[in-house]
Amino acid sequence: MEERSLHNACAEKWDFNWLLHRAAQRVGSSFAEEISKYGITVRGQLILQALANEEVQRTQLKLGAMLGLDKTTLTSELDKLERSGLIQRVPDPNDRRVRTPVITEDGVELQQKVGLALAEVERTYRARFTDEEMVIIRKALTSLSDGEAPVHGSCI
């Protein structure tokens, strides 16, 4: 009960940024907890999702740029996914320095399972709001995420 009172006091006192950050922490923690049951990380799932949904293969460099992951972080995640048999890195026939991550059948299967589990987590949060409220929330968050200034950090 004390934690709830503290949260209410903070929500009344602190600014918009704090509330957005706190909401993102709560949702992010729920997603991370669910994903960990499958032996991967949130970033690992993000990579698998991108690879599973790509119609055109991307080099590691382009994948990192698309996801907002720096080279070191991306390489570390790709190493873990490759060791688990969820992706393969295919060498470019024209440039031996370039590798293209490709999702394996096991990766597709896991990504689909995790995607369904995460959809259920999202449903629990969405259930707090009406359909009309969700339209407004999504529009507001999309608007806030667009902007003129460069974006730093990853998608997550």
Side-chain angles (χ1 to χ4, degrees):
M1 192 60 134
E2 185 177 311
E3 181 183 329
R4 189 74 192 138
S5 297
L6 179 61
H7 179 270
N8 289 342
C10 288
E12 290 173 13
K13 179 180 178 185
W14 295 96
D15 62 8
F16 183 65
N17 181 52
W18 184 88
L19 290 171
L20 283 173
H21 181 74
R22 190 65 172 184
Q25 281 181 319
R26 185 164 306 273
V27 174
S29 292
S30 297
F31 272 61
E33 184 179 329
E34 187 63 32
I35 289 171
S36 71
K37 296 174 185 176
Y38 296 87
I40 60 173
T41 64
V42 172
R43 286 187 175 121
Q45 168 61 9
L46 182 67
I47 291 167
L48 290 178
Q49 184 176 357
L51 294 176
N53 293 325
E54 282 298 310
E55 294 175 11
V56 177
Q57 294 179 348
R58 295 180 189 265
T59 64
Q60 283 184 207
L61 187 61
K62 289 180 182 176
L63 180 65
M66 181 184 88
L67 298 176
L69 297 173
D70 64 74
K71 185 177 179 178
T72 303
T73 302
L74 178 65
T75 300
S76 174
E77 288 297 327
L78 290 174
D79 287 346
K80 292 176 205 172
L81 294 170
E82 191 168 40
R83 279 193 301 273
S84 298
L86 303 173
I87 68 151
Q88 293 178 334
R89 286 183 258 196
V90 178
D92 185 304
N94 301 318
D95 186 346
R96 62 187 173 98
R97 298 168 297 170
V98 176
R99 301 279 185 264
T100 301
V102 177
I103 193 167
T104 64
E105 287 182 30
D106 288 346
V108 170
E109 186 178 314
L110 181 69
Q111 189 278 321
Q112 289 172 345
K113 286 179 186 175
V114 175
L116 291 172
L118 293 180
E120 188 56 39
V121 171
E122 186 174 312
R123 269 193 286 284
T124 64
Y125 282 100
R126 285 176 172 245
R128 299 175 180 201
F129 306 101
T130 66
D131 290 343
E132 293 80 16
E133 289 171 327
M134 279 307 304
V135 167
I136 293 167
I137 290 168
R138 187 162 191 86
K139 183 178 178 183
L141 292 174
T142 299
S143 177
L144 288 171
S145 68
D146 291 340
E148 300 299 320
V151 177
H152 301 286
S154 71
C155 289
I156 53 158

